[in-house]
Amino acid sequence: MQSFRTEIENPVVEKDIIDLERKIRQFREGKVDDERFRSLRLARGIYGQRQPGVQMIRIKLPYGKVTSEQLHRIADVSDKYSTGRLHITTRQDIQIHYVSLDRTPELWAELEKDSVTIREACGNTVRNVTASETAGIDTEEPFDVTPYADATFRYMLRNPIGQEMGRKFKISFSSSDADTALSYMHDLGFIPKIRDGKRGFKVLLGGGLGSQPRHADVIYEFLEAERIIPLIEGVVRIFDRYGERAKRMKARMKFLLKDMGVEEFTRLVKEEQKAVPYDTYPIETEGFDSFPAALENLEHIEVPRVEIDDAEAYEHWKKTNVFPQKQQGFVAVGIKVVIGDFYTDKARKLADLVRKYAGNELRFSLRQNILLRHVREDLLPFFYRELGALGFTQVGYDSTADITACPGTDTCNLGIANSTGIAQVLEEVLSEEYPEYLDNKDVAIKISGCMNACGQHMMAHIGFQGMSIRSGKLVAPALQVLLGGGVLGDGQGRFSDKVIKIPSKRGPQALRTILDDFRANAEEGENFLGYYDRQGKTYFYDILKPLSETDNLTEDDFRDWGHTENYKQEVGVGECAGVVIDLVATLLYESEEKIEGAGTALEAGKWADSIYHSYTSIINTAKALLLAEGKKTNTHAGIIDQFQDVFVVTGKVELQAGGEFSDLVYQIRKNEPTGDFAGKYMQDAITFVNRVKSYREEELIAS
């Protein structure tokens, strides 16, 4: 690999990109362990695809906001380094595929020219901060949550507390009690409230999907807005310290809360607040709403004359895809993007359209769609024509016929069955046979290619999960049918029940059976969840059971959607939040790097960052010796306790001031983040690392 110039003005970003290029070179030269390198690249949004030798790049777009300039930049990057296809995720990111690892630093540098990042889009980090795509224009919102989501994103980006946790960490901000950002399934979820004229949030902790979904707990009915950043930092610190690190399937926040209990966890968070650099963190709210600038620019636009050829189709589109804003005279326009995929030629034209005729921004939605904001109501016929030319006027935005699906076996290592193929077929079934569901927003259908629930099937009214099924010696693609999930609002939600497993090619008939039964037997005014509860899980199992038989499979049943060859279950190693196995030498080397980071932060006056780098250095160093002894290193807290017993009590490693190892480490929570303490703690870390290195060298010589 050749070194390159990034031409990035921000020195922090430039250093980050150059460091990635250096680590890739070291990896190619065999100087960096494969597992450790995986952790580093994942934290830079670089994910190994199912196809060997290429990467998926996840572009991190906080709360889904993209300007015209940024969308042009993303399109250019996709054409230059990828295939020209853009995929919208259920976390409001953009993914591009089939990228060479060696080209990722220059790709990242190109994106940063328009302030677009891939940092912490994957890996064991604080992931993209999501929010309702209607935030700022929602007619029901108490206030715009965009500034708070933005402040959270910026505060956590490159923050040392969230770089190497046991698993990923997800945060959401809903715009209103409708809870469209799904707070109840997030590690931290925020719903805006106003109490006595003051802004604040209802706060939920510890939700999650996957094979063992957990409904988040309400830890605050009302938390003042200026206190959310200190709370977030405290929660992430405690999760980092006590979260599982060895058993990947038990490493999410929901499992830590199950083991520890919410009361004990929140006690530790409060105890940690002394170490957090801010008691309160006021958030600037001015300048986030693009409406004032949009209004000024749009007031003088001449309305292009447009003749509508099909008035009925136009009115149907307005009914399902156009929404009033709280700003009078303006509307938002929803674009239904089938399975979240669109291409760069259309992206550029869309970017030009919103720059000239709207608020110069769009937002990607949690349901893999696009929302155009600040569209003058009298410009709707023009937008209908322009969007129609791009194929972007399909009705049913956010409706039952707007199915959410993860990439599945198209590109994901963990995929068991094809998600996108079945999603497209089911959308065709709905459009052709159940047109009434194009206007229905009360039933959501979601599909995931495996149990990890990236397609959010566990919270759908009707969900499908990719699986496999055996018939004799042969294996066929299958779907687990789930029913009864949904968002109830104000932090409440339901997880769906696993009802039955069927061959994948029978998915369309399963959907027909469910919808036909609902149409025939629902009571007047009864919604789908009410109907499901009244009939019960066993009832639906019985009506779907004929579809589950495997003794009558046809040749076609052994081919997954979109494939011509027989199905093979080939599940790779998942990377998105994989727990890495660190080598002793690598950990000790990284401990020194952490101390360098502590020194850099100290010089910059970032006391809390310096302290956390020193803390991580001490922990990594202790972990290295424990691994060398074959000890478990599941949590930071466990490392601290074990190191005391194995190395300090036995006299193998002497601490500078005597006492216990926990006294050295837990200075971090007993001292305020001052410059004096940051300097002292860094020196303590240096002394400890040097003593452990000396001990390690002596042990290696003796052996």
Side-chain angles (χ1 to χ4, degrees):
M1 288 183 58
Q2 298 293 322
S3 297
F4 68 100
R5 293 183 59 82
T6 66
E7 299 180 357
I8 299 297
E9 294 182 3
N10 187 325
V12 175
V13 175
E14 183 179 46
K15 181 180 181 300
D16 218 1
I17 297 172
I18 291 173
D19 183 58
L20 173 63
E21 189 268 345
R22 178 172 59 87
K23 288 292 176 63
I24 292 174
R25 193 175 342 112
Q26 291 175 343
F27 170 68
R28 295 296 194 202
E29 295 169 353
K31 297 178 180 178
V32 175
D33 167 66
D34 178 67
E35 293 294 329
R36 195 63 206 167
F37 178 67
R38 178 189 299 176
S39 177
L40 180 135
R41 65 173 167 77
L42 285 172
R44 276 89 182 149
I46 306 166
Y47 185 103
Q49 277 186 212
R50 191 180 191 90
Q51 297 78 9
V54 291
Q55 314 292 319
M56 177 272 285
I57 306 301
R58 185 174 292 146
I59 299 171
K60 192 174 185 181
L61 302 167
Y63 48 94
K65 179 183 176 181
V66 184
T67 65
S68 171
E69 293 78 12
Q70 288 174 327
L71 188 54
H72 267 287
R73 178 67 64 183
I74 292 169
D76 290 345
V77 162
S78 181
D79 282 343
K80 184 175 180 180
Y81 299 96
S82 180
T83 63
R85 185 187 72 160
L86 307 175
H87 177 72
I88 307 169
T89 77
T90 55
R91 295 203 62 75
Q92 300 175 295
D93 296 310
I94 284 287
Q95 291 178 176
I96 61 177
H97 297 82
Y98 302 98
V99 177
S100 166
L101 174 63
D102 295 333
R103 303 186 74 192
T104 54
E106 56 185 281
L107 178 155
W108 186 4
E110 288 291 320
L111 287 172
E112 288 284 0
K113 291 176 182 178
D114 279 297
S115 301
V116 178
T117 191
I118 60 175
R119 193 66 155 84
E120 296 144 48
C122 301
N124 302 322
T125 63
V126 177
R127 297 291 187 82
N128 195 28
V129 177
T130 60
S132 303
E133 67 269 22
T134 55
I137 62 173
D138 190 340
T139 56
E140 301 298 320
E141 68 182 17
F143 56 86
D144 183 6
V145 300
T146 303
Y148 304 93
D150 187 80
T152 300
F153 158 73
R154 296 184 186 283
Y155 189 85
M156 294 308 303
L157 187 67
R158 295 184 178 83
N159 194 316
I161 68 172
Q163 299 301 310
E164 299 174 9
M165 298 180 291
R167 282 294 299 272
K168 56 192 173 183
F169 192 94
K170 297 180 178 180
I171 302 173
S172 78
F173 287 81
S174 287
S175 61
S176 70
D177 284 356
D179 198 15
T180 53
L182 316 175
S183 65
Y184 74 97
M185 51 154 277
H186 279 78
D187 295 296
L188 272 174
F190 295 89
I191 301 173
K193 304 285 182 179
I194 291 181
R195 181 178 292 181
D196 299 326
K198 188 173 180 59
R199 291 183 176 188
F201 291 89
K202 184 174 188 176
V203 184
L204 290 94
L205 173 73
L209 295 178
S211 60
Q212 299 181 52
R214 182 183 190 275
H215 195 297
D217 294 282
V218 177
I219 57 171
Y220 288 97
E221 287 290 346
F222 183 84
L223 181 70
E224 294 85 352
E226 63 269 20
R227 292 179 59 199
I228 65 169
I229 294 294
L231 172 71
I232 292 168
E233 172 153 358
V235 168
V236 173
R237 280 169 172 260
I238 298 305
F239 176 58
D240 188 36
R241 187 172 305 149
Y242 291 93
E244 172 68 42
R245 289 173 179 271
K247 300 174 183 176
R248 179 180 180 276
M249 300 305 295
K250 297 291 184 181
R252 288 297 301 272
M253 169 72 80
K254 60 185 178 181
F255 295 111
L256 177 59
L257 290 178
K258 180 180 178 181
D259 293 340
M260 180 181 288
V262 175
E263 185 176 341
E264 173 63 10
F265 185 92
T266 53
R267 184 192 70 78
L268 290 170
V269 171
K270 290 177 181 177
E271 187 179 84
E272 190 73 15
Q273 290 302 303
K274 188 171 186 178
V276 173
Y278 303 97
D279 293 326
T280 60
Y281 192 91
I283 292 170
E284 180 59 57
T285 60
E286 293 296 323
F288 281 90
D289 188 355
S290 65
F291 180 73
L295 178 62
E296 184 177 345
N297 293 334
L298 296 174
E299 279 183 337
H300 307 295
I301 291 178
E302 184 177 344
V303 181
R305 293 194 58 176
V306 174
E307 295 293 332
I308 300 296
D309 295 329
D310 188 337
E312 184 177 351
Y314 172 66
E315 291 300 324
H316 193 189
W317 172 77
K318 283 206 302 181
K319 179 181 178 182
T320 64
N321 293 49
V322 178
F323 315 95
Q325 294 189 181
K326 68 180 184 181
Q327 295 86 1
Q328 190 172 0
F330 286 79
V331 295
V333 177
I335 298 173
K336 180 183 174 185
V337 183
V338 178
I339 62 173
D341 287 345
F342 69 119
Y343 289 84
T344 54
D345 57 340
K346 294 183 178 182
R348 290 187 180 90
K349 291 177 181 178
L350 192 62
D352 292 339
L353 183 66
V354 299
R355 178 169 55 193
K356 187 172 182 181
Y357 293 103
N360 196 36
E361 75 166 82
L362 54 84
R363 296 203 187 181
F364 297 123
S365 80
L366 296 163
R367 291 185 67 169
Q368 301 174 287
N369 290 318
I370 299 172
L371 187 70
L372 312 183
R373 299 150 60 94
H374 305 318
V375 176
R376 255 174 44 188
E377 201 164 1
D378 58 346
L379 284 173
L380 275 176
F382 170 71
F383 268 80
Y384 181 69
R385 185 190 70 184
E386 296 299 302
L387 293 175
L390 298 177
F392 280 161
T393 53
Q394 187 173 347
V395 297
Y397 177 89
D398 268 2
S399 70
T400 304
D402 189 0
I403 296 175
T404 301
C406 72
T409 52
D410 283 353
T411 55
C412 180
N413 274 320
L414 290 175
I416 297 173
N418 188 299
S419 308
T420 57
I422 181 64
Q424 289 175 292
V425 172
L426 293 185
E427 286 202 5
E428 291 172 5
V429 168
L430 290 165
S431 179
E432 295 170 7
E433 302 176 33
Y434 301 88
E436 67 270 26
Y437 282 99
L438 294 171
D439 300 336
N440 187 319
K441 298 184 186 295
D442 297 327
V443 178
I445 302 175
K446 298 176 183 287
I447 305 172
S448 297
C450 74
M451 66 179 180
N452 285 307
C454 294
Q456 302 174 344
H457 66 277
M458 292 297 301
M459 48 154 291
H461 297 79
I462 303 172
F464 297 94
Q465 175 194 327
M467 306 187 82
S468 63
I469 196 167
R470 284 199 169 272
S471 177
K473 294 183 179 180
L474 297 176
V475 180
L479 294 169
Q480 176 81 57
V481 182
L482 302 96
L483 298 171
V487 182
L488 304 179
D490 199 24
Q492 293 297 310
R494 298 168 43 141
F495 297 118
S496 48
D497 295 325
K498 296 177 181 177
V499 176
I500 198 168
K501 182 164 69 170
I502 61 172
S504 186
K505 287 298 177 73
R506 298 176 186 174
Q509 187 54 44
L511 181 61
R512 293 186 185 100
T513 300
I514 294 164
L515 295 181
D516 288 347
D517 193 84
F518 179 48
R519 177 192 286 165
N521 299 312
E523 296 178 353
E524 185 176 354
E526 189 174 41
N527 64 23
F528 185 84
L529 291 182
Y531 180 65
Y532 175 75
D533 290 342
R534 179 166 62 84
Q535 298 287 34
K537 175 181 173 180
T538 302
Y539 173 86
F540 287 92
Y541 173 85
D542 289 339
I543 65 172
L544 293 171
K545 191 174 187 305
L547 298 178
S548 69
E549 304 296 335
T550 59
D551 56 2
N552 58 351
L553 296 182
T554 67
E555 187 176 345
D556 188 52
D557 286 317
F558 291 98
R559 302 189 189 101
D560 209 348
W561 295 100
H563 292 262
T564 56
E565 298 179 354
N566 279 3
Y567 170 80
K568 294 180 181 178
Q569 184 176 341
E570 298 175 333
V571 182
V573 177
E575 292 197 325
C576 202
V579 175
V580 299
I581 303 171
D582 304 305
L583 301 178
V584 175
T586 303
L587 279 170
L588 291 176
Y589 170 71
E590 289 195 342
S591 293
E592 295 178 328
E593 285 192 329
K594 295 297 181 185
I595 288 174
E596 289 180 11
T600 301
L602 186 64
E603 290 177 3
K606 297 181 178 179
W607 318 135
D609 286 4
S610 174
I611 292 163
Y612 213 85
H613 281 305
S614 296
Y615 163 81
T616 308
S617 174
I618 296 170
I619 292 293
N620 278 0
T621 303
K623 180 179 180 180
L625 284 198
L626 288 169
L627 284 174
E629 295 288 331
K631 302 297 183 181
K632 291 183 178 180
T633 57
N634 295 44
T635 67
H636 281 186
I639 289 169
I640 294 166
D641 291 340
Q642 279 200 89
F643 192 85
Q644 173 69 23
D645 295 336
V646 176
F647 292 102
V648 178
V649 172
T650 59
K652 293 179 180 179
V653 176
E654 293 185 5
L655 301 180
Q656 182 179 14
E660 297 192 356
F661 184 56
S662 60
D663 294 334
L664 168 66
V665 180
Y666 286 142
Q667 293 180 82
I668 189 174
R669 68 186 187 195
K670 296 177 180 178
N671 290 271
E672 295 180 359
T674 64
D676 287 343
F677 174 62
K680 176 187 178 301
Y681 200 48
M682 184 178 71
Q683 289 302 317
D684 288 346
I686 292 170
T687 300
F688 177 69
V689 170
N690 287 337
R691 290 192 176 189
V692 166
K693 285 175 63 181
S694 297
Y695 168 78
R696 176 69 176 165
E697 290 169 3
E698 291 172 4
E699 286 292 298
L700 291 174
I701 293 171
S703 63

